[in-house]
Amino acid sequence: MATVILETRGLTKTYAGVQANTDIDFDLPEGQIRALIGPNGAGKTTFVGMLCGRIPVTRGKVIFDGRDISGLPAHKRITLGIAYTFQITSVFAGLSVHENIALAARRAGGNAARVTETLERVGLADRADQTAGDLSYGHQRILEIGMGLAQSPRLFILDEPTQGLAESEVAAFKTLITGLKNTTILLIEHNMSVVMETADYITVLDQGMTLAEGTPDAIRANRAVRAAYLGTADA
């Protein structure tokens, strides 16, 4: 059985008396690709914000590799091996693709070999000298993923990575993610073809609470999930 690298216990966030997340217990085994899905307003962003340290916890615990990190700021969690990509691109537009990857790798103590390996891994080696701001939106998203991978994260959290991508770019993303062996991934995604084709396991949030968990086939067949999400969401 794989070691659980990330867990939450009773994780709760309250805003002015309104609970965005309520008593979430969550276990993510090392090496798994886990998708987090749910309708708009389900509490996904708040939950992930508490995992990353961008949103303070009201109650409960976030535990990473056996350590309670609930009170650690986001930059401290990065040093522990948690990488996170935002819903919008956050590349350094004025720098080259190579320089973006090199900066990310340096943050984690990486060298030139890791930069080269990462560029090849995400398919951007032939664009290494191109200015990041001149890339298409899709390639900027891939670059951002490369910047995360260059840090050799123990946990890689991807927030809506395919948002705004063309169909061909989405297909390339699926190939990239499924090829990331031995990387633990938490994927927050609305595109259900991406979820069903890349995730080993799925957690469904609804109204700030865990509605269901299971394999893609089990989630697809779950009546409660279909009623709350799959039946009305775009595939």
Side-chain angles (χ1 to χ4, degrees):
M1 181 178 293
T3 302
V4 172
I5 190 169
L6 176 75
E7 56 187 297
T8 68
R9 291 295 177 263
L11 200 61
T12 300
K13 180 62 184 179
T14 302
Y15 293 103
V18 177
Q19 290 193 331
N21 289 135
T22 306
D23 294 326
I24 297 180
D25 291 341
F26 178 85
D27 293 279
L28 179 59
E30 201 164 19
Q32 185 181 87
I33 300 176
R34 174 75 64 92
L36 182 69
I37 68 172
N40 290 330
K44 302 185 298 296
T45 298
T46 300
F47 177 66
V48 171
M50 288 191 285
L51 299 182
C52 297
R54 294 172 52 244
I55 296 175
V57 172
T58 300
R59 185 178 71 246
K61 293 181 178 181
V62 178
I63 301 166
F64 182 71
D65 196 23
R67 174 183 177 182
D68 186 348
I69 63 169
S70 308
L72 283 184
H75 69 276
K76 293 286 188 181
R77 300 188 195 197
I78 290 172
T79 64
L80 294 179
I82 299 175
Y84 176 79
T85 67
F86 296 90
Q87 291 184 23
I88 57 174
T89 56
S90 56
V91 302
F92 297 99
L95 300 180
S96 71
V97 169
H98 184 280
E99 288 168 333
N100 270 268
I101 298 292
L103 277 174
R106 193 175 305 134
R107 184 186 304 170
N111 54 25
R114 183 182 296 175
V115 175
T116 300
E117 177 190 355
T118 302
L119 286 167
E120 292 175 352
R121 196 175 188 187
V122 298
L124 291 176
D126 60 340
R127 300 175 186 270
D129 295 328
Q130 190 171 345
T131 302
D134 293 338
L135 295 174
S136 69
Y137 179 79
H139 282 116
Q140 287 189 34
R141 297 294 282 172
I142 295 298
L143 173 58
E144 189 182 30
I145 291 170
M147 291 168 69
L149 290 175
Q151 300 172 52
S152 297
R154 300 191 62 202
L155 170 63
F156 197 9
I157 301 175
L158 299 168
D159 194 353
E160 300 287 354
T162 67
Q163 188 176 52
L165 298 192
E167 284 188 25
S168 60
E169 294 169 334
V170 171
F173 172 80
K174 291 177 187 176
T175 301
L176 172 62
I177 292 303
T178 53
L180 296 180
K181 304 300 182 186
N182 304 316
T183 301
T184 308
I185 295 173
L186 179 59
L187 175 68
I188 300 88
E189 182 59 66
H190 275 104
N191 186 318
M192 292 311 297
S193 72
V194 172
V195 170
M196 294 299 177
E197 292 176 33
T198 63
D200 302 312
Y201 207 77
I202 300 170
T203 295
V204 186
L205 294 187
D206 186 37
Q207 298 181 40
M209 295 178 283
T210 304
L211 175 64
E213 291 188 312
T215 63
D217 285 343
I219 292 301
R220 192 183 284 114
N222 187 299
R223 289 185 178 183
V225 174
R226 290 208 307 268
Y229 184 51
L230 296 183
T232 57
D234 292 333

